[in-house]
Amino acid sequence: MTSDASSDTPSSPSSHGDGRHHPTGSGAPGGKRTGLWLVGARGAISTCVVYGIAGIRHELIPMAGLPTAFPPLSEIDLVSLDNLVLGGHDVCTRDLSASAGELVAAGILPADLVSMARDDAARYESAIRPGILDVAETGFRDLDPRAAALGSQPPLEQTKAIEADLAAFQADHDLERVIVVYLASTEAASTRQDAWDSTADFEAAVADGVPQPASLLYAYAAIRSGSPFVNFTPSIGANVPALIALAESKGVPIAGNDGKTGETLLKTALAPMFRARALQVLAWQGYNMLGNRDGEVLRDPNHKAAKLETKDAALRSILGGADGVGAGGEDRFHSQVSIDYVPSLGDWKTAWDFIHFEGFLGTKMSMQFTWSGCDSALAAPLVIDLARFADLAARNGESGVLGHLGCYFKAPLASQEHDFHRQMQALYSYAQQQPSKADQ
Amino acid sequence: MTSDASSDTPSSPSSHGDGRHHPTGSGAPGGKRTGLWLVGARGAISTCVVYGIAGIRHELIPMAGLPTAFPPLSEIDLVSLDNLVLGGHDVCTRDLSASAGELVAAGILPADLVSMARDDAARYESAIRPGILDVAETGFRDLDPRAAALGSQPPLEQTKAIEADLAAFQADHDLERVIVVYLASTEAASTRQDAWDSTADFEAAVADGVPQPASLLYAYAAIRSGSPFVNFTPSIGANVPALIALAESKGVPIAGNDGKTGETLLKTALAPMFRARALQVLAWQGYNMLGNRDGEVLRDPNHKAAKLETKDAALRSILGGADGVGAGGEDRFHSQVSIDYVPSLGDWKTAWDFIHFEGFLGTKMSMQFTWSGCDSALAAPLVIDLARFADLAARNGESGVLGHLGCYFKAPLASQEHDFHRQMQALYSYAQQQPSKADQ
Amino acid sequence: MTSDASSDTPSSPSSHGDGRHHPTGSGAPGGKRTGLWLVGARGAISTCVVYGIAGIRHELIPMAGLPTAFPPLSEIDLVSLDNLVLGGHDVCTRDLSASAGELVAAGILPADLVSMARDDAARYESAIRPGILDVAETGFRDLDPRAAALGSQPPLEQTKAIEADLAAFQADHDLERVIVVYLASTEAASTRQDAWDSTADFEAAVADGVPQPASLLYAYAAIRSGSPFVNFTPSIGANVPALIALAESKGVPIAGNDGKTGETLLKTALAPMFRARALQVLAWQGYNMLGNRDGEVLRDPNHKAAKLETKDAALRSILGGADGVGAGGEDRFHSQVSIDYVPSLGDWKTAWDFIHFEGFLGTKMSMQFTWSGCDSALAAPLVIDLARFADLAARNGESGVLGHLGCYFKAPLASQEHDFHRQMQALYSYAQQQPSKADQ
Amino acid sequence: MTSDASSDTPSSPSSHGDGRHHPTGSGAPGGKRTGLWLVGARGAISTCVVYGIAGIRHELIPMAGLPTAFPPLSEIDLVSLDNLVLGGHDVCTRDLSASAGELVAAGILPADLVSMARDDAARYESAIRPGILDVAETGFRDLDPRAAALGSQPPLEQTKAIEADLAAFQADHDLERVIVVYLASTEAASTRQDAWDSTADFEAAVADGVPQPASLLYAYAAIRSGSPFVNFTPSIGANVPALIALAESKGVPIAGNDGKTGETLLKTALAPMFRARALQVLAWQGYNMLGNRDGEVLRDPNHKAAKLETKDAALRSILGGADGVGAGGEDRFHSQVSIDYVPSLGDWKTAWDFIHFEGFLGTKMSMQFTWSGCDSALAAPLVIDLARFADLAARNGESGVLGHLGCYFKAPLASQEHDFHRQMQALYSYAQQQPSKADQ
């Protein structure tokens, strides 16, 4: 192990030949490394990303859960984990070890991994900068005062501050490029602004000091910097015509929104089965419970609304529509999703779904499932996958929305396809067109 | 309503123009109709097929659960339900109305449908002939004495008796062809015979009087008659090299084995999600409960063994193998399926599956589902679909195993593909190559 | 079968000696019969009461679900089902056969029972009078115009109208007494009035025309009439000091509130186990879904609030408090109950509860249950039980709140005991003190 | 903290006054301490007992899960945890720290507790002696050679060896008495011997060298030594007339069999509800999965049979019988329990139960539950409770079967009462008759 998360020395290529613990891949020509900038840098997902990458390097954990570590995706020439350098923004001051401690107590992070990755964590922590606070946020317990100060600046100043941090990170570590992944807590739902419809109007509004959601400014800053931007949250991010157009014109790849990690993943994997068998879904009720910081934020009805919107749309899209079961019965379809804060569950999202459906002879049947998943452990490897694919796209010169990454999102940008299996087909097709590692 | 299940008058083309209740389609040139011959003619599935077709004709029930009634499959020029004439074999004497009564009491068949379809049922009943009894069967309560007598005949005589019944049915109703669908209760597991490996050896063994499983003789008789043969049960049917080769040489389409209606359907729809997300399945436990005649037969350990074998293989095929999650951890995968007889459940199969899996950081998570489905109501429309596709294949001149029908089966003949979504893709691809109804 | 629901001829004592289908019992001295007056007479519960009693008389259904038909309660000398005469109030005009049809379609009422009990139903229907509408109700689809007219009368006129109906029913059928059971849809939560604290103030307020919730006026009218009053709903009913005192002074037995039929029954049967084992409940989440008229009414947030209040209190009472697990950890206990309207479920209430708890060594464990119960079929026999016990209490000269009936209610009047098993002990103790049928 | 598990110095009375972490109690007069001798001393339950007691002493864990630490049981003058000295027998050599490590990895034992209780564990370990091996056992991986040698001795020699160990333990630590709790893995089911019916015959058989199950010899040795004996397993233990009579004549308290910790606890807490509501249970299917050493042993069909027997009887006892729902329908009741070994679950027992029942109008309904419990963490505190109650009984001069402890067992000795709530009532009644700590 000759390289580390944020040392200034480019790593030598991985010397591990077994292919089991080390999904190798090239970096940029000349061995340059790629930065992975996590917004929400001290949150549970980021913590899992940091320790997870360290754990794989130290061969302390299996690669389970990381799709790009397994065929057929592992055959693509993606940036290796050794060539990823981590940093990020956060608005809170709490120490990464506090996040890690919670995850250990919850049985998610192994205690020995936290000990052995102490140096990796410290280097990452030294690369965290105060982020910008969303204009609508209030009452954070451990707010970074510099973040608070930034939050009261005009939007253009905020944007420039982000850009400066990204540029410094890239320079400090001599990075080929920096991938920005937005992981901050769900923002309150915000009123759509007319200016979001065109790049020019949006840039004028920002220049005029019209307040903007934080996720939008992060996306804006990343795209202006030429940094690929991935939004793993339901917040708005780059999902406005102004920014999609800007990404295209600037040649910057973007992807989002809202990582598909748990209940929605299941829904979009199961619903196609009901459609394929012409079973008419009468009701699909989804009850989610969680107890982490994300859950706390969702206690606020405004945040909850933003989150629920993306959770429900996928289902209707698969089951309904002109050519499916819904054709004759769409109006009978009843669907509901709720999210409740249950403190004792911590990061263990527990969801119960009940599906009532009608089959042949009008017979009413049902199925139900309970999902007990650890949200952060499900999300973190997808963040790594997305960073690797965004890096590849930038290397390939792809720009705008990366349509082949729809399988990772609850609300894929510029797409109506929610069927998980069709989304995977699209990704596998893309993968087949890429040069394989063997060719390098 | 000008046609009926088994009148001698070819029906006029359906005059229903709304496309909602009547999936139209052509029959053979000249308006000839197709016979659908159900082996296990008085069982719950056959009963649902008969009343279901009548109910759709009488517009008493929705078409939910019948995939070929919905796009994209409804666009193919399949034989219309109006042009299907029903008959079958059974070894029991009990009246179809007894089966229907049980299904009404269980909340599966609507009572008014049974009243209104009385004539359809009577015509069907008049076309039921005594079947042949599997050599290993004992203790049937209401055994047809003629079936019992047939059961003691040498296998060649049995085969010829079946052929004669098929020929008479075809002639009586002036049918273009007869599709044989095997729906009888699961046979006891039988020792594989060397003679099954070649057509010549098999035919010699039959001629020599070597006893054969009933399902094998039905398949043999159907293929000899030129009748497409579909095996919807886990019994052996045409699944021996001798018969597959015979079907190919005779130009007869065959399909099977074991209809994928419930828990296995769910498994093969869900397992690909775990694989796609690189989630390592540690254990997949499946507990099935049912209380119908099928369940009663499965109380016998020999019958149960035959059934369980096909239920488990699908899962291992999707999750394991050289290029999946299983690569590094296949030996950790633990899987088990059980089926228990719970009389009070009747035809309501209830299954609980527990899936234990490992994700990123080695975190162990779980999901569980409960499926409460009415087996017969799930199976019957698939039988109709299969008959329609077998008819199309015969019309097209296809022969041997119909590979595009794998999505209908737990153990698709001559295929290792169990991923339900890939199976559906194969069917949709086939469908796209067929002339559509609009072209006719 | 010599008697019927509302004939004018007193029935002869039951001549059925087998004790299996006919839980015999005496009526009043001289063979007088008891009236059972159902408020909400055309609702699903009332419909099940009417057809259920008829079904038991006609020996068409088992006595499952009716506690007073089984030992030890069957040993008490309760009024026999043959001696119950049924009538009631409703504000809707829809025919009882419409309610019955829905219950047949949902698989709850057997179709042949509806046919065979046609006369019983007709006699009952002829004894239904227009009820009074709660002042806060709006938008009923099939409102009885006479009920609407009554609803605009001053409260004292409404009370007198109810009393007149009860008196006429008693006289017409020569009844020893009339038991009033309140089964109408949950009222909107109403602001507590100071006048409810004393009988004199309340009577003055009614005389002055101060609007009152309908359930309160029904309770008032019943008590004034000397009719035992049972409130099976979460509406306020007799649950105010003014009416409890009036019932005591008038010597009238009362019982309520809110029948404990499903999820709450389970909670109060299970929670004592957690307490007995010192397992610290961290969270108890309850999600209820239902699709009947009751569910429709609960879509209104005001009605929902009234309902949820009684559902949650029971749990906290058993688990919390000074001497239980909660002692050191009550503040960690998180509980939530929701009720959602899922139209396709009809009368089939489906509930999922998730219980997160801490055991020895601080280990967090969980259990979850799904309850699929038919609300009306669970409630109806309890209504019969309550009417029989209320009749016995009146015969015994008991007055005020019947404390031994707490096991039937989610929010038992004048009681903090929610532990179902202790409630049953109280009922069994009461039963032991009663003269048994054998002594009569 | 002035005392420890096995020092020779009697502890001073606990000086903790808060009553939260230290359920105080007296020991014997003169401050003598009580020995707790665990058979199966290195198993998961024993490990949890040892670390749990240490954790409570060190105030590292809450007292959740320990019924005698909470009112009303905490009011009885039971031996304090500080006055319990631990030792035991085992046939395996593996280190206690290996057991502890597994429990830490499974998220059951907190890692810091294992560190802080290192001395307690070491002292306990030094008091573990090689046990006797059941005659039917084979293939233990880490068998203690001295245990193997003992296993080939005649039964009387084995008994004497156990007695000698108990006597040495008592003398070494100057103990008032020693409570023996049998926790070893389930024995294979053994054929009942006629000699078990009388003490004299049994003693003669042992003297004659007739091989006996190990659990029987442990019980015999304990009773001969005057040590109260508690059997927490389904093995036979003291459950033969010969030993029950001996315990009575020797004045020794005994209790057992088979700790009621999980699914059976739930069954016996829930089944009374169905009976109380006259809901006719048609089927109760219980599926258990576990992956610990106990589960491995249960893979052997003989061991499994012994275990399942006690799991099923409780349910039939509560639901069936002459005076309950079962009266008219017992023959319709179908029940089944299975236990499967699922390695990845480790100590996390997961059970799914499905209950099908009939209510009013013959309506069939269902409920299902999933229990995810950590077996050892559920069992360990009950072992402590039982030791404290056995100590009290000995102090009180009670002898033979302790009937008030039925709530702790799946198959309570000499009792047909399985209703958990009635069992708790019996325990609470006993508790009320005891002098309270306040009286001392």
Side-chain angles (χ1 to χ4, degrees), chain D residues 102-290:
Chain D
E102 282 175 19
L103 291 164
V104 169
I108 296 162
L109 267 186
D112 54 351
L113 171 55
V114 174
S115 310
M116 294 196 57
R118 194 169 293 141
D119 293 347
D120 306 72
R123 260 178 265 118
Y124 170 65
E125 186 119 36
S126 72
I128 298 178
R129 299 286 167 268
I132 63 171
L133 193 66
D134 187 65
V135 70
E137 296 301 337
T138 54
F140 259 96
R141 287 168 310 195
D142 44 8
L143 187 61
D144 187 316
R146 295 169 302 168
L150 256 178
S152 60
Q153 300 271 317
L156 190 57
E157 308 312 305
Q158 295 184 329
T159 306
K160 287 179 176 166
I162 298 168
E163 290 178 70
D165 286 340
L166 296 177
F169 180 59
Q170 183 166 11
D172 287 354
H173 300 285
D174 189 24
L175 304 169
E176 180 70 17
R177 68 184 65 82
V178 176
I179 315 294
V180 177
V181 182
Y182 190 80
L183 296 167
S185 290
T186 304
E187 293 172 348
S190 49
T191 314
R192 199 149 189 94
Q193 299 177 16
D194 288 343
W196 294 352
D197 285 338
S198 93
T199 307
D201 290 354
F202 174 70
E203 300 205 305
V206 170
D208 284 356
V210 180
Q212 301 295 335
S215 67
L216 205 54
L217 293 183
Y218 273 107
Y220 183 42
I223 296 168
R224 275 167 55 121
S225 299
S227 289
F229 179 80
V230 176
N231 178 13
F232 204 75
T233 78
S235 299
I236 193 161
N239 191 20
V240 294
L243 290 185
I244 292 176
L246 186 66
E248 284 165 0
S249 68
K250 287 238 171 201
V252 179
I254 59 175
N257 279 4
D258 206 1
K260 183 151 84 170
T261 54
E263 189 222 11
T264 304
L265 173 64
L266 265 168
K267 277 180 170 162
T268 61
L270 264 178
M273 182 201 80
F274 287 96
R275 186 190 178 109
R277 282 291 196 245
L279 298 166
Q280 168 107 29
V281 174
L282 304 171
W284 194 311
Q285 298 287 110
Y287 298 99
N288 293 267
M289 308 181 300
L290 81 175

Side-chain angles (χ1 to χ4, degrees), chain B residues 286-289 304 308 311 336-340, chain D residues 287 340:
Chain B
Y287 297 100
N288 293 267
M289 306 180 300
K304 202 164 175 170
L308 291 181
K311 281 186 82 76
Q336 187 179 329
V337 188
S338 73
I339 305 188
D340 292 313
Chain D
Y287 298 99
D340 291 315

Side-chain angles (χ1 to χ4, degrees), chain C residues 107-132:
Chain C
I108 296 162
L109 268 186
D112 55 351
L113 171 55
V114 174
S115 310
M116 294 196 55
R118 193 169 295 140
D119 292 348
D120 306 71
R123 261 178 264 116
Y124 170 66
E125 185 119 39
S126 72
I128 298 178
R129 300 285 167 266
I132 64 171

Side-chain angles (χ1 to χ4, degrees), chain A residues 43-388:
Chain A
I45 300 179
S46 294
T47 306
C48 288
V49 168
V50 173
Y51 284 98
I53 289 178
I56 289 174
R57 285 177 178 160
H58 295 304
E59 304 198 2
L60 284 169
I61 57 169
M63 297 210 289
L66 184 67
T68 52
F70 293 89
L73 302 182
S74 60
E75 288 152 19
I76 313 173
D77 184 34
L78 298 165
V79 60
S80 79
L81 301 194
D82 285 342
N83 279 343
L84 284 178
V85 181
L86 305 180
H89 275 124
D90 207 308
V91 296
C92 295
T93 54
R94 69 169 180 168
D95 206 82
L96 194 72
S97 64
S99 285
E102 282 175 18
L103 291 163
V104 169
I108 296 162
L109 268 185
D112 56 350
L113 172 54
V114 174
S115 309
M116 295 196 56
R118 194 169 295 140
D119 292 349
D120 307 71
R123 263 178 264 115
Y124 170 65
E125 185 119 37
S126 72
I128 298 178
R129 298 287 167 265
I132 63 170
L133 193 67
D134 186 67
V135 68
E137 295 303 336
T138 53
F140 257 96
R141 286 168 310 194
D142 45 8
L143 187 60
D144 186 316
R146 296 168 303 167
L150 257 177
S152 58
Q153 300 268 317
L156 191 56
E157 308 312 305
Q158 294 183 332
T159 306
K160 287 180 175 167
I162 298 169
E163 289 178 72
D165 287 338
L166 295 177
F169 180 59
Q170 184 166 10
D172 287 353
H173 300 284
D174 189 26
L175 303 169
E176 180 70 17
R177 69 185 65 81
V178 176
I179 315 295
V180 177
V181 181
Y182 189 81
L183 295 167
S185 290
T186 305
E187 293 171 348
S190 49
T191 313
R192 200 146 189 96
Q193 300 178 16
D194 287 344
W196 294 350
D197 285 338
S198 95
T199 306
D201 291 353
F202 173 71
E203 300 205 306
V206 170
D208 284 357
V210 179
Q212 300 295 336
S215 67
L216 205 53
L217 293 183
Y218 273 107
Y220 183 43
I223 296 168
R224 276 166 55 123
S225 300
S227 288
F229 179 80
V230 176
N231 178 13
F232 204 76
T233 77
S235 299
I236 195 160
N239 191 20
V240 296
L243 290 186
I244 293 175
L246 185 66
E248 284 165 0
S249 68
K250 286 240 170 199
V252 179
I254 58 174
N257 281 3
D258 205 1
K260 182 152 82 171
T261 54
E263 189 222 10
T264 305
L265 172 64
L266 265 169
K267 276 180 170 162
T268 61
L270 264 180
M273 182 202 80
F274 287 97
R275 186 191 177 109
R277 282 291 195 245
L279 298 167
Q280 168 107 28
V281 175
L282 304 172
W284 194 310
Q285 299 286 112
Y287 298 100
N288 293 267
M289 306 180 301
L290 82 174
N292 57 16
R293 206 176 171 103
D294 207 33
E296 240 180 311
V297 170
L298 290 174
R299 300 183 83 170
D300 180 295
N302 280 327
H303 293 73
K304 203 165 175 168
K307 177 85 180 178
L308 290 180
E309 196 174 334
T310 62
K311 280 187 82 75
D312 201 17
L315 194 57
R316 292 184 173 274
S317 141
I318 298 171
L319 293 172
D323 61 340
V325 169
E330 195 176 359
D331 44 29
R332 295 167 66 200
F333 175 54
H334 182 90
S335 163
Q336 188 179 330
V337 188
S338 72
I339 305 188
D340 291 315
Y341 177 57
V342 178
S344 62
L345 285 174
D347 206 52
W348 285 91
K349 164 90 78 61
T350 301
W352 181 73
D353 274 37
F354 176 82
I355 304 143
H356 200 207
F357 60 97
E358 185 179 87
F360 200 56
L361 303 168
T363 310
K364 287 183 180 179
M365 316 184 215
S366 69
M367 83 163 277
Q368 57 186 275
F369 66 78
T370 303
W371 171 262
S372 301
C374 169
D375 251 22
S376 306
L378 289 163
L382 305 188
V383 167
I384 298 172
D385 268 22
L386 286 163
R388 299 178 90 185

